[in-house]
Amino acid sequence: MSHRKLMLASLIIVAACAPAFGDWTYNPGTGHWYRLTAPGLTWTQAEQAAAKFAGHLVTINDSAENDWILAQFGTGQLYLWIGLYQLPGSPEPATGWVWVSGEPITFTHWGNGEPNENSPDEDFGEILGALVTNPGPGWWNDSRDSFPLNAGIVEREVDPAVPTVSEWGLVVMTLLTLAAGTIILVRPRLARA
């Protein structure tokens, strides 16, 4: 591999890390950072995407955070996944709900008659965006994981500008790859000299 190809490959790897550091919004009320996942994900896919950002789907602890979430991410949206889900085997429709973060439920904002298990397996929470008129934006609904029309709201406690251990690991691996490639490319030239 030529030195230029090695440098290009390293730049591509570093560029792939960039999304972990950008597009975050800070909430001074919670001290946490937030962003959206890509749209068109199931709840499970959105939580997996959140984990790749060293976070989880949002845990909403009070009405101020609920209002802030809606103002920041609800504009132009129908539904957004939040980190609320129902434990398997829980009596329907209203028991066994937990936050994916493991935090206790201290606040809920279910829409009128929600959660309702309107169809089987409505075990995942979503917040209604500004485009929903009934019951209105900011209310919560239970939905099926197989409903892949939503983006998820990612919450991260650590400033995204401060890389996590796994993000640093990717940077270190890139630098080691660069160093090894340089040694491989330079070594034959030194032997000929």
Side-chain angles (χ1 to χ4, degrees):
M1 178 183 279
S2 73
H3 184 65
R4 286 184 182 166
K5 287 181 182 175
L6 184 61
M7 289 296 289
L8 180 61
S10 297
L11 287 173
I12 290 170
I13 292 169
V14 171
C17 299
F21 305 116
D23 300 325
W24 291 90
T25 303
Y26 180 71
N27 180 347
T30 63
H32 294 177
W33 296 83
Y34 303 79
R35 69 170 296 152
L36 290 178
T37 66
L41 302 178
T42 65
W43 186 94
T44 300
Q45 291 167 336
E47 175 57 23
Q48 290 168 347
K52 289 180 182 175
F53 289 117
H56 50 77
L57 288 175
V58 66
T59 297
I60 303 174
N61 293 306
D62 56 41
S63 60
E65 186 176 11
N66 198 72
D67 293 345
W68 185 89
I69 292 289
L70 182 63
Q72 295 299 313
F73 303 108
T75 306
Q77 300 287 332
L78 286 172
Y79 310 100
L80 294 162
W81 292 121
I82 60 176
L84 198 58
Y85 72 99
Q86 191 175 30
L87 294 170
S90 296
E92 295 295 346
T95 61
W97 289 90
V98 296
W99 289 115
V100 71
S101 65
E103 294 177 50
I105 294 178
T106 57
F107 168 80
T108 61
H109 198 59
W110 292 110
N112 189 28
E114 298 292 345
N116 62 7
E117 192 71 10
N118 193 40
S119 62
D121 301 322
E122 284 193 343
D123 299 331
F124 301 90
E126 60 188 4
I127 188 171
L128 307 181
L131 298 179
V132 178
T133 57
N134 186 16
W139 293 99
W140 300 356
N141 179 53
D142 58 333
S143 186
R144 296 183 317 271
D145 190 39
S146 59
F147 187 65
L149 300 177
N150 297 345
I153 304 167
V154 180
E155 180 176 9
R156 178 175 163 151
E157 295 176 17
V158 178
D159 184 343
V162 178
T164 64
V165 171
S166 62
E167 291 162 347
W168 273 118
L170 189 53
V171 170
V172 168
M173 288 305 294
T174 301
L175 293 173
L176 289 174
T177 302
L178 249 177
T182 302
I183 291 169
I184 291 168
L185 291 173
V186 173
R187 189 172 171 196
R189 290 181 189 159
L190 292 174
R192 287 189 297 240

